[in-house]
């Protein structure tokens, strides 16, 4: 069945007429790793509206296996642009498993790249109880950050410790 969906998605992406948006949303929201794999293809190949649809669909997806799948794709990404999109995808996913994956990936990424900044930005907007559970990993991920990445890391750490964000210094990256 997913073979037909894949063909339909590929055709919709080629048309660039908006027909891929709804399908991309539905695939991203599905509690199915194969469907989410197709949604990630749409994220990486589609235009801005398709990308937004995938992120919106992922925001509805609470499946821990989907979190693992997206995190695995992000770990494997060597292209900076692809990594940035996948960081946004991981950040869109709700729940403690996604918060943990975001923290571990932010800790793993060195340097000032967009992916690290996007991961820390997503973390700065996670619920306090989820951040509290990963405070020590988050502190390690925050070390040696500069600029917006450092501001996002400070916000996430403040929230994890019961404080508040300083959102005036950081625009929405989504």
């Amino acid at each position: 069945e997913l073979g037909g969906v894949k063909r339909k998605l590929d055709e919709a992406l080629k048309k660039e007429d908006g027909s891929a948006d709804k399908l991309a949303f539905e695939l991203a929201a599905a509690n199915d790793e194969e469907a989410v794999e197709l949604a990630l293809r749409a994220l990486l190949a589609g235009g801005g509206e398709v990308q937004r649809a995938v992120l919106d669909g992922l925001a509805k997806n609470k499946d821990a296996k989907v979190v693992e799948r997206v995190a695995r794709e992000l770990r494997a990404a060597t292209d900076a642009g692809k990594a940035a999109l996948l960081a946004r995808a991981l950040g869109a996913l709700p729940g403690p498993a996604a918060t943990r994956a975001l923290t571990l990936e932010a800790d793993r990424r060195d340097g000032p790249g967009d992916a690290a900044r996007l991961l820390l930005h997503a973390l700065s907007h996670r619920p306090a109880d989820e951040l509290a559970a990963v405070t020590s990993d988050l502190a390690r991920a925050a070390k040696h950050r500069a600029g917006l990445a450092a501001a996002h890391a400070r916000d996430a750490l403040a929230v994890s410790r019961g404080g508040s964000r300083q959102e005036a210094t950081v625009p929405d990256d989504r």
Side-chain angles (χ1 to χ4, degrees), residues 30-38 63 65-66 68-69 72:
N31 291 333
D32 180 280
E33 285 182 81
E34 291 180 32
V36 169
E37 184 176 336
L38 291 176
D63 189 332
K65 288 183 180 180
V66 169
E68 291 171 23
R69 176 70 182 166
R72 206 169 41 245

Side-chain angles (χ1 to χ4, degrees), residues 97-120:
T99 299
R100 179 123 189 89
L102 284 163
T103 305
L104 294 175
E105 189 61 26
D107 184 29
R108 190 179 82 71
R109 295 212 171 244
D110 293 331
D114 282 341
R117 179 182 53 81
L118 291 167
L119 292 162
L120 290 164

Side-chain angles (χ1 to χ4, degrees), residues 10 17 29-30 52 63-64 72 95 101 129 132 137 141 155 167 170-172:
D10 287 343
D17 64 356
R52 171 63 67 193
D63 189 332
R72 206 169 41 245
D129 61 328
D137 292 325
D155 282 352
E167 291 192 64
V170 283
D172 186 4

Side-chain angles (χ1 to χ4, degrees), residues 41-161:
R41 283 177 46 135
L43 176 75
L44 298 173
E49 291 302 316
V50 171
Q51 291 171 350
R52 171 63 67 193
V54 171
L55 296 176
D56 290 346
L58 289 172
K60 307 274 187 214
N61 198 322
K62 297 178 182 177
D63 189 332
K65 288 183 180 180
V66 169
V67 171
E68 291 171 23
R69 176 70 182 166
V70 174
R72 206 169 41 245
E73 290 288 327
L74 178 55
R75 278 191 302 277
T78 55
D79 175 76
K82 182 177 177 180
L85 286 170
L86 291 167
R88 285 187 169 148
L90 186 59
L93 288 160
T99 299
R100 179 123 189 89
L102 284 163
T103 305
L104 294 175
E105 189 61 26
D107 184 29
R108 190 179 82 71
R109 295 212 171 244
D110 293 331
D114 282 341
R117 179 182 53 81
L118 291 167
L119 292 162
L120 290 164
H121 177 264
L123 282 164
S124 73
H125 288 81
R126 303 307 276 201
D129 61 328
E130 291 179 14
L131 289 172
V134 296
T135 300
S136 61
D137 292 325
L138 184 55
R140 194 172 51 249
K143 286 187 179 182
H144 312 295
R145 300 292 177 180
L148 281 177
H152 294 313
R154 281 191 304 274
D155 282 352
L157 277 170
V159 171
S160 77
R161 295 174 176 149

Side-chain angles (χ1 to χ4, degrees), residues 8-47:
K8 184 177 177 184
L9 178 63
D10 287 343
E11 289 170 10
L13 287 170
K14 286 177 189 172
K15 289 180 187 175
E16 297 181 10
D17 64 356
S19 61
D21 300 358
K22 184 175 187 234
L23 181 56
F25 174 88
E26 291 170 357
L27 289 167
N31 291 333
D32 180 280
E33 285 182 81
E34 291 180 32
V36 169
E37 184 176 336
L38 291 176
L40 293 177
R41 283 177 46 135
L43 176 75
L44 298 173

